[in-house]
Amino acid sequence: MAGTGFRAELRRKGGRGGYLFQKYCKHGSVKKRIRKNTDDALPYRLQPDAGSWQLPLAFLSRNPVLAAASHSTNTTNTTNTTNTTNTTNTTNTTNTTNTTTPNMDRIPEIESFLRHGDRSLALRRMLDLSFDAGDDALLAQAVAWSRRYRKAIGEEGAEVPSSFYNEAEALLQRLRSLQGPAPAPVNLLTAEAIAKTYPRSRFSLQPLSLQVASGAIIGIVGENGNGKTTLLRALAGQLDTDAGGITYSQLPGADAYRIKQYLAFIPQRIPRWYGLLKDNLHFSAALSGFTGKENELMVDFMLERLLLADYAHLTWNQISSGYRTRFEIARILLQRPSLLLLDEPLANLDIIAQQTILTDLRYMAKSYRHPMGVVLSSQQLHEVEKIADTVLFIRQGACLYRTGEAEVAAGAVVEVETEAGRAVLEAALAGQDVTIQFNGGYYTLTAARQSMQELLLLLLNSGLSITYFRDITHSTKRFFRARS
């Protein structure tokens, strides 16, 4: 199979990852070996294996570039009788035949969504619960239900078919029959006084400590250029720290390869990918050990779950930056990381998409089947604070505040926007121990004694016209100030 035979085999498999595999072959040692000895091309084929994706061990043993990425694929039991993927990360081992119990508190939530016409939310939550159940047949039923609904309402003015609610009740009935305890949170990462200095720019990440548990979401907020990305890259093992240490609690004696399997880092600038969106997801699922029908099911689940189904057969150039972000999250979730790090994931999303992605991340982090810790940075303070368990505010490389620590001494801190001038506002608050600061379009009022309600009453009783009012007493927003 020398020369053209190898390329022909890749093209034949092109519909299921061959094109992507060619992308790897255009770089580094793989291409050099092919040029050096074309007779050696035979072991480099993608093995059909009844439609599943397998990278031959003979190939991987000679090509460490792909061996690291494909380790879990080649340690998978291809008989698929137990569907257990044996990776070096024991915490990422998933048994899809053993059913786990979804959070039964979520079933009434889904019922409420259906009752009030919030069908999109009901669909996503139902898919989450079906995934958590660990029953492939149930998950396939939920995916098919979601697909039928999406196609039924595809035309403008189309009505929701009556079968939609009947199928929803059938799914909920199956979910109600499942019983069992919720998984207990486990510590995933501990960072102790880590610090990093860039001598040329003279910027330093000051000593910072942090713990991340499964199911927890931690938000990192702060102005641009203050160390958020540096912190995330250090946690991801991409930067060596100058002081302190990071312990991956479920990986004793971990090396760089095991850390890469243990966690996933999504940068703000997502790397370009080639080929069709769906083919890329199939390829990513294959590298994570999903083969055959299981591969198809997991990809279909991600397409429906992250609202990517309508874009499955499009390329990088044909989708918006927001959907590229959704794709990257889907691709990473197929790898089943224990810890997910995201740098500004909301930067390319509109306000509705931001809220959708954040709530989805919260549900996925608290999954019963595969809980994970999430650390994300963002400028969207209010949206992040709604879903994060802990929020850290970083300024000039130092963590100035984190939720749960001592609150500010002020009675209240609020934002106010008014058409009246500053003099009128000062007159309305005359005699009150309140400081006023203008922050580009609105005023920040900091009261020493008054509560938020008392401040609002003072302003209203003065006859002041208020167009915007927000309580930021317990928000990191109070640390942001306009530059003078």
Side-chain angles (χ1 to χ4, degrees), residues 226-457:
N226 278 261
K228 300 189 300 297
T229 299
T230 296
L231 173 59
L232 288 176
R233 293 188 63 199
L235 296 178
Q238 294 184 1
L239 283 178
D240 290 332
T241 55
D242 300 327
I246 299 175
T247 302
Y248 303 96
S249 307
Q250 306 301 313
L251 290 177
D255 54 20
Y257 166 68
R258 296 186 68 193
I259 292 173
K260 191 171 183 179
Q261 282 200 322
Y262 184 69
L263 58 81
F265 175 63
I266 299 180
Q268 182 175 357
R269 295 183 179 180
I270 297 172
R272 182 187 180 96
W273 41 267
Y274 299 85
L276 302 182
L277 183 151
K278 187 174 183 179
D279 285 346
N280 277 269
L281 292 182
H282 278 300
F283 188 69
S284 183
L287 293 181
S288 301
F290 294 113
T291 61
K293 292 182 178 179
E294 190 181 18
N295 184 296
E296 294 283 348
L297 176 59
M298 291 307 301
V299 169
D300 288 343
F301 165 68
M302 284 299 172
L303 290 173
E304 293 294 327
R305 182 60 186 79
L306 291 174
L307 308 179
L308 288 167
D310 291 336
Y311 307 89
H313 300 289
L314 300 182
T315 63
W316 170 278
N317 290 329
Q318 294 173 316
I319 62 175
S320 68
S321 55
Y323 279 97
R324 292 171 189 167
T325 300
R326 289 174 183 265
F327 160 80
E328 190 67 11
I329 293 174
R331 186 184 69 82
I332 291 299
L333 290 177
L334 285 169
Q335 298 175 12
R336 297 170 294 178
S338 292
L339 182 61
L340 178 61
L341 310 174
L342 304 100
D343 190 11
E344 297 285 355
L346 309 180
N348 297 317
L349 303 176
D350 59 61
I351 185 62
I352 300 300
Q354 289 174 8
Q355 296 170 354
T356 299
I357 288 295
L358 286 175
T359 54
D360 286 351
L361 282 174
R362 182 163 187 81
Y363 273 87
M364 292 176 178
K366 298 184 182 300
S367 165
Y368 272 43
R369 183 175 178 181
H370 185 75
M372 62 182 178
V374 176
V375 183
L376 62 91
S377 68
S378 179
Q379 300 293 336
Q380 311 301 324
L381 306 180
H382 300 306
E383 282 69 27
V384 170
E385 288 173 342
K386 289 177 184 176
I387 61 101
D389 300 292
T390 303
V391 179
L392 280 67
F393 175 80
I394 296 180
R395 176 179 287 168
Q396 295 180 353
C399 180
L400 297 186
Y401 170 81
R402 73 177 71 200
T403 54
E405 294 183 344
E407 295 289 342
V408 292
V413 183
V414 301
E415 290 179 341
V416 175
E417 187 175 347
T418 175
E419 296 177 355
R422 185 181 185 119
V424 177
L425 182 59
E426 290 176 343
L429 297 172
Q432 307 296 328
D433 191 4
V434 179
T435 60
I436 303 173
Q437 183 174 14
F438 185 68
N439 280 311
Y442 58 86
Y443 295 94
T444 300
L445 311 182
T446 304
R449 297 184 304 273
Q450 293 87 350
S451 67
M452 179 272 294
Q453 292 86 352
E454 291 171 334
L455 269 180
L456 181 58
L457 282 175

